[in-house]
PDB file of all heavy atoms in Angstrom:
ATOM      1  N   GLY A1140      -8.343   1.262   6.754  1.00 96.00           N
ATOM      2  CA  GLY A1140      -9.320   2.228   7.240  1.00 96.00           C
ATOM      3  C   GLY A1140      -8.914   3.684   7.161  1.00 96.00           C
ATOM      4  O   GLY A1140      -9.471   4.516   7.877  1.00 96.00           O
ATOM      5  N   ARG A1141      -7.935   4.025   6.311  1.00 97.00           N
ATOM      6  CA  ARG A1141      -7.569   5.446   6.189  1.00 97.00           C
ATOM      7  C   ARG A1141      -8.800   6.260   5.797  1.00 97.00           C
ATOM      8  O   ARG A1141      -9.525   5.895   4.870  1.00 97.00           O
ATOM      9  CB  ARG A1141      -6.480   5.636   5.129  1.00 97.00           C
ATOM     10  CG  ARG A1141      -5.288   4.704   5.275  1.00 97.00           C
ATOM     11  CD  ARG A1141      -4.473   4.977   6.504  1.00 97.00           C
ATOM     12  NE  ARG A1141      -3.471   3.939   6.704  1.00 97.00           N
ATOM     13  CZ  ARG A1141      -3.087   3.493   7.890  1.00 97.00           C
ATOM     14  NH1 ARG A1141      -3.622   3.955   9.001  1.00 97.00           N
ATOM     15  NH2 ARG A1141      -2.155   2.567   7.995  1.00 97.00           N
ATOM     16  N   SER A1142      -8.963   7.393   6.452  1.00 96.00           N
ATOM     17  CA  SER A1142     -10.211   8.130   6.276  1.00 96.00           C
ATOM     18  C   SER A1142     -10.366   8.664   4.853  1.00 96.00           C
ATOM     19  O   SER A1142     -11.480   8.741   4.338  1.00 96.00           O
ATOM     20  CB  SER A1142     -10.268   9.283   7.274  1.00 96.00           C
ATOM     21  OG  SER A1142      -9.187  10.161   7.037  1.00 96.00           O
ATOM     22  N   TRP A1143      -9.295   9.017   4.210  1.00 97.00           N
ATOM     23  CA  TRP A1143      -9.404   9.582   2.857  1.00 97.00           C
ATOM     24  C   TRP A1143      -9.742   8.511   1.822  1.00 97.00           C
ATOM     25  O   TRP A1143      -9.904   8.819   0.643  1.00 97.00           O
ATOM     26  CB  TRP A1143      -8.112  10.314   2.479  1.00 97.00           C
ATOM     27  CG  TRP A1143      -6.872   9.531   2.757  1.00 97.00           C
ATOM     28  CD1 TRP A1143      -6.178   9.500   3.932  1.00 97.00           C
ATOM     29  CD2 TRP A1143      -6.193   8.649   1.871  1.00 97.00           C
ATOM     30  NE1 TRP A1143      -5.113   8.649   3.819  1.00 97.00           N
ATOM     31  CE2 TRP A1143      -5.094   8.124   2.563  1.00 97.00           C
ATOM     32  CE3 TRP A1143      -6.406   8.267   0.545  1.00 97.00           C
ATOM     33  CZ2 TRP A1143      -4.206   7.212   1.985  1.00 97.00           C
ATOM     34  CZ3 TRP A1143      -5.526   7.363  -0.020  1.00 97.00           C
ATOM     35  CH2 TRP A1143      -4.441   6.846   0.688  1.00 97.00           C
ATOM     36  N   THR A1144      -9.848   7.246   2.226  1.00 98.00           N
ATOM     37  CA  THR A1144     -10.268   6.210   1.280  1.00 98.00           C
ATOM     38  C   THR A1144     -11.757   5.881   1.430  1.00 98.00           C
ATOM     39  O   THR A1144     -12.261   4.985   0.757  1.00 98.00           O
ATOM     40  CB  THR A1144      -9.472   4.913   1.494  1.00 98.00           C
ATOM     41  OG1 THR A1144      -9.780   4.387   2.791  1.00 98.00           O
ATOM     42  CG2 THR A1144      -7.981   5.144   1.399  1.00 98.00           C
ATOM     43  N   GLU A1145     -12.416   6.604   2.316  1.00 97.00           N
ATOM     44  CA  GLU A1145     -13.830   6.329   2.615  1.00 97.00           C
ATOM     45  C   GLU A1145     -14.693   6.098   1.370  1.00 97.00           C
ATOM     46  O   GLU A1145     -15.334   5.036   1.253  1.00 97.00           O
ATOM     47  CB  GLU A1145     -14.393   7.468   3.459  1.00 97.00           C
ATOM     48  CG  GLU A1145     -15.842   7.314   3.866  1.00 97.00           C
ATOM     49  CD  GLU A1145     -15.990   6.282   4.982  1.00 97.00           C
ATOM     50  OE1 GLU A1145     -15.236   6.359   5.969  1.00 97.00           O
ATOM     51  OE2 GLU A1145     -16.856   5.411   4.845  1.00 97.00           O
ATOM     52  N   PRO A1146     -14.734   7.043   0.415  1.00 97.00           N
ATOM     53  CA  PRO A1146     -15.602   6.807  -0.750  1.00 97.00           C
ATOM     54  C   PRO A1146     -15.177   5.572  -1.550  1.00 97.00           C
ATOM     55  O   PRO A1146     -16.018   4.887  -2.126  1.00 97.00           O
ATOM     56  CB  PRO A1146     -15.440   8.085  -1.583  1.00 97.00           C
ATOM     57  CG  PRO A1146     -14.234   8.772  -1.050  1.00 97.00           C
ATOM     58  CD  PRO A1146     -14.054   8.339   0.360  1.00 97.00           C
ATOM     59  N   PHE A1147     -13.887   5.315  -1.560  1.00 98.00           N
ATOM     60  CA  PHE A1147     -13.391   4.120  -2.257  1.00 98.00           C
ATOM     61  C   PHE A1147     -13.962   2.863  -1.603  1.00 98.00           C
ATOM     62  O   PHE A1147     -14.518   1.994  -2.265  1.00 98.00           O
ATOM     63  CB  PHE A1147     -11.859   4.104  -2.202  1.00 98.00           C
ATOM     64  CG  PHE A1147     -11.226   2.956  -2.938  1.00 98.00           C
ATOM     65  CD1 PHE A1147     -10.863   3.072  -4.272  1.00 98.00           C
ATOM     66  CD2 PHE A1147     -10.979   1.761  -2.291  1.00 98.00           C
ATOM     67  CE1 PHE A1147     -10.271   2.016  -4.946  1.00 98.00           C
ATOM     68  CE2 PHE A1147     -10.388   0.698  -2.955  1.00 98.00           C
ATOM     69  CZ  PHE A1147     -10.039   0.830  -4.288  1.00 98.00           C
TER      70      PHE A1147
END
Side-chain angles (χ1 to χ4, degrees):
Chain A
R1141 310 293 171 215
S1142 61
W1143 48 273
T1144 65
E1145 181 75 48
F1147 183 91

